[in-house]
Amino acid sequence: MFKRTHTCGELRSNHIDKTVSLNGWIHTVRLHGQVIFIDIRDRYGKTQLVFDSEDYNGNFEQVKKISIEDVISVRGNVRARGSVNPELETGEIEVAVDELLILNETAPLPFMINDRESATEDFRLKYRYLELRTKELQYNLDLRHRTYQVVRKYLSENKFIEVETPVLMKSTPEGARDYLVPSRIHKGRFYALPQSPQTYKQLLMVSGYDRYFQIVKCFRDEDLRADRQPEFTQIDIEMSFIDEEDIISYSTALTRKVFQDVINVELPETFPRITYHDAMNTYGCDRPDLRFGIELKDIKSYTDQSDFNAFKSAEMVKAIIVPGGSKYSRKIIDQLTDYVKTSGAKGLAWMKVQDGVLTGGISKFFVDHLQKTMMVDMELKDGDIILMVGDNTDIVHASLGALRINVAKREGLIIKGDFKPVWVMDFPMFEWDEKAHRHVAMHHPFTAPNPKDIEKLNSDPLHVLSRGYDIVINGSEIGGGSIRIHDTNVQQQVFDLLGINKEEAQAKFGFLLEALTYGAPPHGGIAFGLDRLIMLLADTENIRDVIAFPKTTSAMSLMDNSPSDVSDEQLKELGIALVKQK
RNA sequence: GGAAUCGUAGUUCAGUUGGUUAGAACGCCGGCCUGUCAAGCCGGAGGUCGCGAGUUCGAGUCUCGUCGGUUCCGCCA
């Protein structure tokens, strides 16, 4: 091997007449009989090599045999090109090769490296190390790398200290399913992989590390989505002697810094805030996409006056108005109807606005003066379509919340490169779980209740607001956190409400409860979903595009075929017996 | 746990109401070619139609099951 003097993206016209060595992969071969052009590639770029049979002293027949993705090492002279290639950063020059070494000849490739679309995803995942040679993934991983650096630099400069917490920890009730790790030394007992380092970071506050952060892997054994992997990365932050405003101001500044330094986008100095209540009512969703309008409107007062009886018994009736939607054909409306049905809606009612009147769909159930009132109140315009769902609150919000995003995409209302951050505040502390028949924490059991609501903890727990906050950008929840409970008694009260009795609380969280008795400072924090943040920076809808070795929707790694069977000896050593599945 | 959708040369896809020898492009192999840059031109090889049953004289095509990919609902404190 000739040790490289330059990378494949480095050479410019000021290098002309220099003798250089390059190492890399064959990107393309253009064979013209007596002259051969080869683009050599590494992660820095591409450079054209030329082999001329009249000048090349080596074995020209060997050069002819070179094929795409072979690894080579060359030495030669930089010279100006006859015709410049403006597509290439190194397009002003080429390297006339004197010596060639083929370092590794590639086997026939399962798919084409220069085109990510040339193979289906399962194939690319099986050969992920090849897909990682593509420009897009190399760019995305570079974004990710630069984000780590910006985060570490910003937080370090602000006196945050990076502390590693255990990956083998105690399994906790509540929240996501844990990934369990059997203990060999203590047969029959298990560690869990952290869903987040939540308890550890709170203990670090008790220990006096008043500004902590960590870029840390977290694990949740739940079903996957386009933006969810079983193992993912958080930027975990916790601070002492602070309130919500401190966390929000540092987090806003950190987010702005990342967007500025990584993709050169300037976000507003402060991010707008919305309450959970308003977000649900206006957008049907606790992570609203504010890049477009199409707000949910409560229309129950109108439908109750109409002759359309299907909505009379509905708990809630809401509508979205799509400008220009009156062009929708029966077929498109059917598609939208099927779409809202996936969120539990029984159907999708509609009316079009044409020539100043409501027409089609269920419009015949609305008498003239009612139509006029609606036109004025809702500021309806010719060309609009009203899409309506009546059902219980959850279904109305879920279905119309999803539909507004669907139609916004359909209508091209989402502008590329537009970022609309928002803080969502004032979450309820608890939700009622119908199946389990008990209260569950909306955020997590360590979230502090709003002091104003503290007396309602016993009388009216579902109306207690928490001191939690989420940061949302473009409909993606990229972070969330809270001010924590730092008082043992309040913590015990919350556990009671969650149906975790004293014994269980002691067994599961005794260490934390006890720690809170030894001088626990007021504290709070936030965790950013790093992968989702990178998705925004990389402008991709899929989390697999920002993770080097991701898993499939069924949590498999197609590359190494995990999870896989283990030997009987391994199981025996752990004291584990498998139950035969039928 | 549920729903939708996809699975055909190495790869991406086409394949008619079920009917003769399953096609194309790219890649691969061989040949020609001294200025290309997705090089070009000529030729060739390459298929258990995911897997398993069933219906039928006959299945890539229809039915059922199963495995795998993707997306969504449930789930994700």
Side-chain angles (χ1 to χ4, degrees):
Chain A
M1 185 178 68
F2 309 113
K3 284 212 176 159
R4 62 183 171 194
T5 55
H6 299 79
T7 69
C8 297
E10 199 175 344
L11 296 171
R12 298 289 184 276
S13 46
N14 59 305
H15 294 98
I16 287 169
D17 292 335
K18 288 213 162 74
T19 298
V20 298
S21 298
L22 297 176
N23 300 156
W25 287 260
I26 306 293
H27 194 70
T28 49
V29 179
R30 295 180 292 278
L31 170 65
H32 291 249
Q34 299 310 305
V35 64
I36 301 169
F37 300 98
I38 285 172
D39 290 341
I40 183 172
R41 184 199 74 235
D42 59 21
R43 75 182 172 95
Y44 308 94
K46 289 182 278 188
T47 300
Q48 175 165 286
L49 308 177
V50 188
F51 296 84
D52 190 318
S53 65
E54 287 179 10
D55 305 332
Y56 183 62
N57 293 321
N59 180 354
F60 198 74
E61 290 306 307
Q62 184 198 28
V63 183
K64 283 185 178 177
K65 298 282 183 215
I66 283 178
S67 59
I68 287 171
E69 296 305 316
D70 289 347
V71 179
I72 62 165
S73 182
V74 293
R75 184 144 63 196
N77 289 300
V78 182
R79 68 188 190 197
R81 286 216 200 177
S83 58
V84 168
N85 182 355
E87 304 287 308
L88 228 54
E89 287 193 61
T90 60
E92 292 189 349
I93 56 90
E94 63 191 10
V95 174
V97 177
D98 294 322
E99 292 175 90
L100 162 75
L101 291 170
I102 297 175
L103 302 178
N104 190 285
E105 223 175 292
T106 185
L109 292 162
F111 60 93
M112 262 140 281
I113 308 297
N114 53 20
D115 180 14
R116 243 185 119 201
E117 301 303 309
S118 75
T120 47
E121 188 155 10
D122 50 337
F123 226 80
R124 302 194 314 254
L125 286 173
K126 181 172 178 188
Y127 298 98
R128 184 66 166 182
Y129 46 89
L130 295 180
E131 190 186 14
L132 285 169
R133 288 182 191 170
T134 62
K135 211 174 171 181
E136 293 110 303
L137 290 185
Q138 295 201 340
Y139 172 75
N140 290 354
L141 290 190
D142 185 53
L143 276 185
R144 193 172 173 118
H145 159 76
R146 281 155 49 212
T147 304
Y148 298 144
Q149 310 314 315
V150 172
V151 168
R152 287 207 162 95
K153 179 161 180 282
Y154 172 83
L155 292 173
S156 300
E157 284 173 352
N158 284 283
K159 299 200 164 56
F160 288 81
I161 176 171
E162 185 166 8
V163 180
E164 290 182 69
T165 53
V167 169
L168 297 177
M169 63 176 283
K170 189 181 177 68
S171 177
T172 52
E174 300 286 307
R177 290 186 191 91
D178 284 325
Y179 275 98
L180 296 177
V181 180
S183 165
R184 174 185 58 82
I185 296 171
H186 304 281
K187 289 186 178 49
R189 289 159 69 178
F190 295 82
Y191 301 99
L193 304 181
Q195 298 172 26
S196 83
Q198 182 62 37
T199 49
Y200 292 111
K201 68 175 173 176
Q202 291 192 238
L203 294 168
L204 285 170
M205 294 304 109
V206 176
S207 307
Y209 297 83
D210 63 320
R211 291 182 176 200
Y212 142 94
F213 84 100
Q214 186 179 188
I215 296 177
V216 61
K217 270 290 179 74
C218 301
F219 306 85
R220 294 180 188 174
D221 187 4
E222 296 292 346
D223 287 353
L224 292 85
R225 286 290 187 280
D227 64 349
R228 267 166 36 191
Q229 283 271 308
E231 57 178 300
F232 61 100
T233 304
Q234 284 188 347
I235 304 166
D236 198 41
I237 293 173
E238 196 79 1
M239 302 173 79
S240 293
F241 307 117
I242 46 82
D243 60 20
E244 293 85 333
E245 296 306 321
D246 298 289
I247 303 288
I248 286 174
S249 100
Y250 276 105
S251 299
T252 301
L254 173 62
T255 306
R256 294 184 76 224
K257 191 88 186 146
V258 166
F259 273 78
Q260 185 72 69
D261 291 1
V262 179
I263 58 168
N264 198 26
V265 164
E266 190 166 342
L267 296 180
E269 211 160 311
T270 58
F271 301 164
R273 299 182 189 187
I274 188 171
T275 65
Y276 170 83
H277 181 263
D278 288 349
M280 292 305 292
N281 275 309
T282 312
Y283 303 102
C285 171
D286 65 357
R287 45 182 176 88
D289 191 336
L290 301 186
R291 286 175 296 177
F292 55 92
I294 314 192
E295 298 177 356
L296 276 58
K297 310 250 193 232
D298 191 331
I299 57 162
K300 178 124 172 91
S301 62
Y302 307 115
T303 56
D304 279 351
Q305 292 174 61
S306 76
D307 301 317
F308 188 64
N309 291 322
F311 283 168
K312 295 274 167 72
S313 60
E315 180 188 349
M316 178 182 274
V317 183
K318 284 195 176 183
I320 58 172
I321 297 154
V322 186
S326 69
K327 65 175 178 285
Y328 287 170
S329 62
R330 184 78 233 176
K331 191 180 164 193
I332 289 176
I333 293 172
D334 284 347
Q335 283 171 11
L336 298 177
T337 305
D338 287 344
Y339 185 71
V340 294
K341 281 182 178 169
T342 64
S343 307
K346 292 174 195 75
L348 183 65
W350 58 276
M351 295 189 276
K352 292 175 177 178
V353 187
Q354 272 161 7
D355 304 320
V357 294
L358 296 174
T359 165
I362 62 168
S363 61
K364 65 183 173 192
F365 298 106
F366 293 74
V367 295
D368 283 355
H369 76 270
L370 182 57
Q371 288 201 6
K372 288 207 176 65
T373 312
M374 291 175 71
M375 298 278 298
V376 174
D377 290 358
M378 298 166 74
E379 297 176 342
L380 298 174
K381 292 182 190 65
D382 275 4
D384 289 351
I385 190 169
I386 314 173
L387 303 170
M388 298 162 273
V389 173
D391 213 302
N392 67 44
T393 304
D394 287 350
I395 288 177
V396 169
H397 284 162
S399 56
L400 287 179
L403 187 64
R404 83 177 265 279
I405 294 162
N406 182 305
V407 296
K409 282 181 183 161
R410 197 179 277 272
E411 294 301 305
L413 299 178
I414 295 172
I415 300 156
K416 202 179 154 133
D418 186 21
F419 296 100
K420 285 285 189 295
V422 58
W423 285 100
V424 183
M425 314 282 296
D426 295 334
F427 288 87
M429 280 283 284
F430 308 104
E431 289 175 300
W432 183 253
D433 186 328
E434 281 297 338
K435 280 179 213 146
H437 216 69
R438 66 176 187 99
H439 292 99
V440 292
M442 187 129 178
H443 188 51
H444 59 54
F446 317 111
T447 301
N450 189 313
K452 282 184 289 189
D453 296 335
I454 209 134
E455 63 283 9
K456 280 195 270 182
L457 266 181
N458 288 316
S459 57
D460 188 13
L462 287 175
H463 285 98
V464 177
L465 296 181
S466 78
R467 297 179 72 184
Y469 31 78
D470 279 359
I471 179 171
V472 172
I473 301 181
N474 296 358
S476 173
E477 184 199 324
I478 62 154
S482 61
I483 301 302
R484 326 297 183 189
I485 298 167
H486 69 282
D487 179 297
T488 320
N489 295 325
V490 178
Q491 185 66 72
Q492 190 62 61
Q493 217 178 332
V494 169
F495 283 147
D496 287 346
L497 262 166
L498 296 172
I500 303 172
N501 63 38
K502 279 215 161 54
E503 293 70 37
E504 196 182 351
Q506 274 307 319
K508 304 291 186 184
F509 300 111
F511 63 103
L512 180 68
L513 288 170
E514 193 180 4
L516 292 179
T517 68
Y518 293 121
H523 62 284
I526 191 166
F528 286 85
L530 179 87
D531 312 275
R532 287 184 188 167
L533 189 60
I534 311 292
M535 285 169 66
L536 287 170
L537 299 172
D539 188 29
T540 176
E541 301 257 298
N542 202 299
I543 195 169
R544 292 184 298 276
D545 288 346
V546 300
I547 294 175
F549 298 103
K551 295 186 171 53
T552 68
T553 313
S554 65
M556 296 239 298
S557 168
L558 295 179
M559 193 179 65
D560 56 19
N561 262 313
S562 65
S564 54
D565 296 333
V566 295
S567 70
D568 290 342
E569 290 79 60
Q570 281 175 291
L571 288 175
K572 200 176 164 193
E573 200 166 37
L574 295 166
I576 289 179
L578 296 181
V579 179
K580 286 244 162 70
Q581 296 278 334
K582 286 216 165 172

